[in-house]
Amino acid sequence: MGNGNGVKMQESKYQVLNWKFWKAMKLTLEQTKRELLDDRKAISYSLEMPGTGHNSVIQRYNKLLDDIKVYDDHIHYYDVVIRRLESCIASLLSQEQRKVIIIYANHPNKGDGIKREQEALENGFSRSKFYEIANESFNILDEVLDIKSIEKNSGLILD
């Protein structure tokens, strides 16, 4: 989770930057599972089909069918992390802070700073105010999302 400079990224920032990706991944897993469970499609195929070049695709398809039970686990993992993040955003942040976090999440890639700042301006935030509110919001979210912070504040970790 480092940024390449040996400095660890805040847990909340990491989760916000991955939020949209995680939601897309969960939807993809759910869609794939639905397609595999469809009786008309969930048929294992023989590698002896006529023609060439089918084997790798057929093997991958059959592997997906064999591993279908794993989909529920992965969907559950994504769902728990996404719900926890969304619950923290909804319950811990003000409307202004939520808006800033959503702008941040809308532009998660390295080099998206200009896009973030443009959207922030369109929503009435100066560049400095946007980053001030973002940092404040990440610090608030870290109080719940960062396990080390929870352990420290509960007295489980002594400095």
Side-chain angles (χ1 to χ4, degrees), residues 2-142:
N3 64 6
N5 298 330
V7 177
K8 186 178 180 228
M9 182 184 297
Q10 280 182 277
E11 179 62 25
S12 58
K13 186 182 244 184
Y14 174 79
Q15 289 190 28
V16 166
L17 291 174
N18 284 285
W19 184 12
K20 287 177 81 172
F21 171 75
W22 291 340
K23 287 184 89 150
M25 181 60 73
K26 179 185 166 221
L27 290 174
T28 300
L29 290 169
E30 289 170 336
Q31 179 182 359
T32 303
K33 180 184 172 200
R34 276 193 307 274
E35 289 174 3
L36 289 170
L37 289 174
D38 183 341
D39 288 338
R40 291 167 293 156
K41 296 177 185 173
I43 301 168
S44 290
Y45 287 97
S46 167
L47 295 177
E48 296 162 7
M49 283 180 57
T52 59
H54 305 298
N55 287 356
S56 69
V57 171
I58 293 170
Q59 286 171 336
R60 282 176 174 75
Y61 179 80
N62 288 338
K63 175 82 170 126
L64 287 174
L65 283 176
D66 292 343
D67 291 343
I68 200 161
K69 62 191 172 300
V70 175
Y71 277 76
D72 284 331
D73 291 338
H74 290 284
I75 291 166
H76 176 72
Y77 303 149
Y78 279 104
D79 197 39
V80 168
V81 172
I82 291 165
R83 271 196 319 235
R84 180 173 177 243
L85 174 61
E86 290 175 349
S87 175
C88 288
I89 290 169
S91 63
L92 299 175
L93 302 181
S94 69
Q95 185 174 1
E96 182 178 62
Q97 291 167 328
R98 286 192 301 267
K99 189 180 283 189
V100 165
I101 290 299
I102 289 169
I103 292 169
Y104 221 98
N106 284 340
H107 307 286
N109 301 317
K110 286 188 178 201
D112 277 352
I114 292 171
K115 293 177 187 175
R116 259 185 232 129
E117 292 166 13
Q118 182 61 41
E119 188 174 340
L121 280 173
E122 291 168 6
N123 281 276
F125 299 104
S126 68
R127 181 181 186 278
S128 61
K129 189 66 173 171
F130 172 75
Y131 285 110
E132 177 186 319
I133 294 170
N135 287 331
E136 175 183 285
S137 302
F138 288 131
N139 288 336
I140 291 168
L141 292 172
D142 269 348

